[in-house]
């Protein structure tokens, strides 16, 4: 989408949880005229030398950074909290210092609804208390605090937007790029997809006695293409307006249950998805749904795609790439 909008891009990635093949496919989708505008560099966000190389590699400098470089598995963060604090928080500190050194003061940050913890009420507005319940959520809250302090130190310079994702799912409609979790998927959507394609035999539904319509957990699933649209809208807003610190929920505002997700994937794939209802997963909340009205008001952005499109596009990716990027 950034290439289609005419931007010059440098993707900086350590490829610890992604594949360079994905970037080859992005170039393929963008077409031969746009492909040269996508440069890439393998590096570690915690290594100032790598960051220095990135900022000097771009011939006309870096105008803005969209910061996705972080670890994001809740369960893994509980097992290895110091690794999460190092990559997500120390890594962000190194990036921000490199941005300051090179006079780059525009940042879109990939934050997360997991910093809300157990919501007091749903839908959840940006003003809801920040009360993370796992190291992953704590690191996202810590980076948001870092960004708030940085902006306060120089409010006439910094243009920052913290985007709090709810539950990103789906894939590019071409089926050429999509979610490719390493190992056993922690999240519902990739697990359901793998059951549909036959890589997993059965879904475990974590709890059937929640206070919801069908007793299973309810979440706000956002199509990854809507999420991408939200990033472009956030970037355009920062580049067009006065320096500011903006914090926005990116979600649909609609909740769907685990069983509704299973039914939608069965309809999209034509495959049955066997499941068994088991105990609740520690740390889960019953319901998590965004109040997306601030993003609508500040960016003119709302989700355009629902569960049907999410499962249609995710199934196309899963069917065409049953073993991910190989
Ligand atoms: C969704 C629902 C589970 C798996 C995550 C994390 C983090 C964030 C995305 C970025 C819940 C149920 C799940 C399974 C199940 N990423 N479930 N069986 O926990 O809402 O939050 O959101 O910030 O990764 O915060 O997502 O997909 O793990 O769970 O029944 O095998 O599916 O109980 O109700 P979650 P999830």
């Amino acid at each position: 989408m950034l290439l289609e909008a005419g931007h010059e891009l440098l993707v900086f990635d350590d490829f610890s949880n992604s594949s360079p093949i994905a970037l080859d496919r992005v170039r393929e989708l963008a077409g031969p005229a746009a492909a040269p505008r996508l440069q890439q560099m393998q590096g570690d966000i915690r290594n100032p030398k790598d960051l220095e190389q990135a900022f000097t590699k771009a011939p006309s400098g870096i105008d803005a950074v969209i910061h996705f470089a972080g670890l994001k598995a809740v369960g893994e963060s509980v097992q290895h909290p110091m690794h999460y604090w190092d990559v997500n928080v120390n890594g962000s500190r190194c990036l921000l210092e490199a941005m300051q050194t090179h006079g780059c003061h525009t940042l879109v940050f990939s934050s997360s609804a997991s910093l809300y913890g157990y919501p007091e009420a749903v839908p959840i507005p940006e003003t809801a208390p920040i009360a993370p319940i796992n190291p992953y959520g704590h690191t996202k809250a810590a980076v948001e605090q870092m960004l708030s302090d940085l902006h306060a130190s120089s409010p006439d310079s910094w243009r920052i937007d913290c985007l709090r994702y709810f539950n990103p799912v789906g894939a590019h409609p071409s089926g050429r790029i999509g979610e490719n979790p390493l190992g056993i998927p922690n999240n519902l959507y990739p697990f359901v997809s793998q059951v549909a394609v036959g890589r997993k035999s059965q879904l475990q539904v974590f709890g059937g006695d929640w206070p919801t319509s069908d007793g299973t957990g309810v979440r706000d699933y956002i199509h990854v293409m809507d999420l991408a649209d939200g990033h472009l809208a956030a970037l355009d807003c920062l580049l067009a307006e006065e320096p500011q610190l903006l914090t926005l929920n990116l979600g649909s505002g609609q909740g769907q249950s685990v069983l509704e997700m299973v039914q939608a994937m069965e309809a999209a794939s034509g495959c049955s998805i066997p499941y068994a209802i088991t105990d609740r997963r520690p740390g889960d909340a019953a319901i998590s749904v965004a109040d997306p009205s601030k993003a609508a008001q500040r960016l003119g952005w709302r989700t355009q795609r629902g569960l049907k499109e999410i499962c249609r596009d995710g199934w196309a990716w899963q069917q065409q790439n049953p073993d991910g990027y190989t």
Side-chain angles (χ1 to χ4, degrees), residues 222-237:
I222 174 171
H223 195 301
V224 68
M225 299 301 284
D226 281 327
L227 199 67
D229 277 328
H231 283 72
L232 264 78
L235 181 63
D236 291 345
C237 172

Side-chain angles (χ1 to χ4, degrees), residues 286-299:
I287 301 176
S288 169
V289 172
D291 171 351
S293 54
K294 189 177 170 190
Q297 181 251 327
R298 292 292 287 108
L299 305 181

Side-chain angles (χ1 to χ4, degrees), residues 11-23 41-46 68-73 76 83-84 86-88 180-183 325:
V11 174
F12 180 98
D13 198 328
D14 67 0
F15 297 114
S16 61
N17 190 22
S18 56
S19 163
I21 299 173
L23 297 177
M41 177 190 158
Q42 181 158 359
D44 187 326
I45 193 175
R46 298 165 294 178
F68 297 106
L71 303 173
K72 72 168 193 78
E76 185 184 53
H83 188 42
Y84 270 67
D86 187 20
V87 174
N88 290 3
N180 183 38
L182 302 184
Y325 293 112

Side-chain angles (χ1 to χ4, degrees), residues 14-159:
D14 67 0
F15 297 114
S16 61
N17 190 22
S18 56
S19 163
I21 299 173
L23 297 177
D24 297 335
R25 294 196 182 175
V26 168
R27 291 187 183 94
E28 170 199 306
L29 289 165
R37 285 190 278 113
L38 170 54
Q39 299 298 314
Q40 70 189 66
M41 177 190 158
Q42 181 158 359
D44 187 326
I45 193 175
R46 298 165 294 178
N47 183 336
K49 288 190 177 61
D50 289 352
L51 289 168
E52 184 61 21
Q53 187 185 339
F55 276 87
T56 48
K57 183 183 174 83
S60 52
I62 304 281
D63 298 312
V65 172
I66 303 180
H67 175 23
F68 297 106
L71 303 173
K72 72 168 193 78
V74 168
E76 185 184 53
S77 80
V78 174
Q79 302 297 321
H80 305 289
M82 298 321 295
H83 188 42
Y84 270 67
W85 281 93
D86 187 20
V87 174
N88 290 3
V89 180
N90 183 40
S92 296
R93 179 187 61 79
C94 294
L95 169 63
L96 292 168
E97 286 178 351
M99 289 178 71
Q100 273 187 310
T101 302
H102 290 273
C104 177
H105 297 110
T106 301
L107 176 83
V108 176
F109 173 56
S110 168
S111 189
S112 170
S114 60
L115 57 64
Y116 292 121
Y118 296 118
E120 287 174 352
V122 288
I124 306 170
E126 287 83 356
T127 52
I130 292 179
I133 54 174
N134 53 62
Y136 167 73
H138 280 294
T139 65
K140 289 299 183 180
V143 177
E144 285 204 11
Q145 184 59 57
M146 193 189 296
L147 294 171
S148 173
D149 294 345
L150 185 59
H151 174 263
S153 72
S154 182
D156 296 337
S157 303
W158 286 96
R159 290 171 162 81

Side-chain angles (χ1 to χ4, degrees), residues 197-315:
V197 83
R199 275 181 66 181
K200 294 283 181 297
S201 57
Q202 184 185 64
L203 169 73
Q204 289 193 323
V205 177
F206 298 146
D209 57 352
W210 293 102
T212 63
S213 57
D214 61 15
T216 64
V218 169
R219 295 292 184 274
D220 184 330
Y221 296 102
I222 174 171
H223 195 301
V224 68
M225 299 301 284
D226 281 327
L227 199 67
D229 277 328
H231 283 72
L232 264 78
L235 181 63
D236 291 345
C237 172
L238 289 180
L239 293 172
E241 296 187 5
E242 290 307 302
Q244 61 186 312
L245 170 64
L246 205 48
T247 301
L248 299 171
N249 288 335
L250 290 192
S252 70
Q254 307 298 318
Q256 267 112 15
S257 74
V258 174
L259 294 185
E260 284 171 326
M261 176 64 82
V262 168
Q263 285 146 17
M265 186 55 85
E266 286 185 329
S269 64
C271 305
S272 79
I273 297 173
Y275 66 83
I277 295 190
T278 61
D279 293 340
R280 296 181 177 185
R281 179 174 63 176
D284 267 355
I287 301 176
S288 169
V289 172
D291 171 351
S293 54
K294 189 177 170 190
Q297 181 251 327
R298 292 292 287 108
L299 305 181
W301 172 90
R302 280 196 179 282
T303 54
Q304 305 294 320
R305 301 160 179 92
L307 211 48
K308 186 165 175 283
E309 291 77 18
I310 285 167
C311 291
R312 176 199 66 196
D313 297 340
W315 177 243

